[in-house]
mmCIF file of all heavy atoms in Angstrom:
data_model
loop_
_atom_site.group_PDB
_atom_site.id
_atom_site.type_symbol
_atom_site.label_atom_id
_atom_site.label_comp_id
_atom_site.label_asym_id
_atom_site.label_seq_id
_atom_site.Cartn_x
_atom_site.Cartn_y
_atom_site.Cartn_z
ATOM 1 N N HIS A 69 97.809 -203.315 -91.626
ATOM 2 C CA HIS A 69 96.973 -203.539 -90.470
ATOM 3 C C HIS A 69 97.726 -203.593 -89.227
ATOM 4 O O HIS A 69 98.698 -204.292 -89.125
ATOM 5 C CB HIS A 69 96.229 -204.885 -90.720
ATOM 6 C CG HIS A 69 95.450 -204.939 -91.892
ATOM 7 N ND1 HIS A 69 94.190 -204.340 -91.971
ATOM 8 C CD2 HIS A 69 95.667 -205.359 -93.180
ATOM 9 C CE1 HIS A 69 93.639 -204.509 -93.216
ATOM 10 N NE2 HIS A 69 94.575 -205.164 -93.983
ATOM 11 N N VAL A 70 97.382 -202.835 -88.257
ATOM 12 C CA VAL A 70 97.956 -202.634 -87.066
ATOM 13 C C VAL A 70 97.037 -203.313 -85.920
ATOM 14 O O VAL A 70 95.806 -203.057 -85.901
ATOM 15 C CB VAL A 70 98.228 -201.180 -86.604
ATOM 16 C CG1 VAL A 70 98.923 -201.006 -85.266
ATOM 17 C CG2 VAL A 70 99.139 -200.587 -87.674
ATOM 18 N N ALA A 71 97.577 -204.134 -85.160
ATOM 19 C CA ALA A 71 96.779 -204.838 -84.047
ATOM 20 C C ALA A 71 96.195 -203.701 -83.163
ATOM 21 O O ALA A 71 96.949 -202.770 -82.792
ATOM 22 C CB ALA A 71 97.563 -205.708 -83.281
ATOM 23 N N ALA A 72 94.890 -203.872 -82.961
ATOM 24 C CA ALA A 72 94.277 -202.878 -82.004
ATOM 25 C C ALA A 72 94.786 -203.023 -80.521
ATOM 26 O O ALA A 72 94.999 -204.148 -80.127
ATOM 27 C CB ALA A 72 92.719 -202.960 -82.017
ATOM 28 N N GLY A 73 94.956 -201.907 -79.849
ATOM 29 C CA GLY A 73 95.400 -202.026 -78.439
ATOM 30 C C GLY A 73 94.112 -202.341 -77.605
ATOM 31 O O GLY A 73 92.907 -202.650 -77.993
ATOM 32 N N PRO A 74 94.247 -202.394 -76.249
ATOM 33 C CA PRO A 74 93.269 -202.701 -75.272
ATOM 34 C C PRO A 74 92.087 -201.528 -75.362
ATOM 35 O O PRO A 74 92.512 -200.367 -75.487
ATOM 36 C CB PRO A 74 93.955 -202.812 -73.934
ATOM 37 C CG PRO A 74 95.252 -202.111 -74.066
ATOM 38 C CD PRO A 74 95.636 -202.167 -75.631
ATOM 39 N N GLN A 75 91.008 -202.015 -75.190
ATOM 40 C CA GLN A 75 89.886 -201.012 -75.163
ATOM 41 C C GLN A 75 89.451 -200.746 -73.732
ATOM 42 O O GLN A 75 88.485 -201.318 -73.222
ATOM 43 C CB GLN A 75 88.686 -201.569 -75.911
ATOM 44 C CG GLN A 75 89.048 -201.947 -77.376
ATOM 45 C CD GLN A 75 87.888 -202.676 -78.109
ATOM 46 O OE1 GLN A 75 86.925 -203.116 -77.515
ATOM 47 N NE2 GLN A 75 88.106 -202.823 -79.373
ATOM 48 N N GLY A 122 89.449 -210.572 -72.929
ATOM 49 C CA GLY A 122 90.795 -210.206 -73.261
ATOM 50 C C GLY A 122 90.915 -208.950 -74.258
ATOM 51 O O GLY A 122 92.048 -208.698 -74.750
ATOM 52 N N GLU A 123 89.799 -208.261 -74.327
ATOM 53 C CA GLU A 123 89.836 -206.985 -75.184
ATOM 54 C C GLU A 123 90.308 -205.807 -74.409
ATOM 55 O O GLU A 123 90.627 -204.772 -75.024
ATOM 56 C CB GLU A 123 88.462 -206.765 -75.779
ATOM 57 C CG GLU A 123 87.998 -207.790 -76.716
ATOM 58 C CD GLU A 123 86.503 -207.608 -77.091
ATOM 59 O OE1 GLU A 123 85.900 -206.657 -76.802
ATOM 60 O OE2 GLU A 123 85.897 -208.574 -77.732
ATOM 61 N N ALA A 124 90.204 -205.867 -73.049
ATOM 62 C CA ALA A 124 90.797 -204.773 -72.293
ATOM 63 C C ALA A 124 91.611 -205.297 -71.195
ATOM 64 O O ALA A 124 91.614 -206.440 -70.845
ATOM 65 C CB ALA A 124 89.549 -204.082 -71.631
ATOM 66 N N THR A 125 92.451 -204.413 -70.554
ATOM 67 C CA THR A 125 93.498 -204.816 -69.528
ATOM 68 C C THR A 125 93.015 -204.184 -68.247
ATOM 69 O O THR A 125 94.075 -204.302 -67.362
ATOM 70 C CB THR A 125 94.885 -204.355 -70.051
ATOM 71 O OG1 THR A 125 94.920 -203.053 -70.256
ATOM 72 C CG2 THR A 125 95.219 -205.091 -71.387
#
Side-chain angles (χ1 to χ4, degrees):
H69 298 283
V70 178
Q75 300 173 357
E123 297 174 8
T125 58

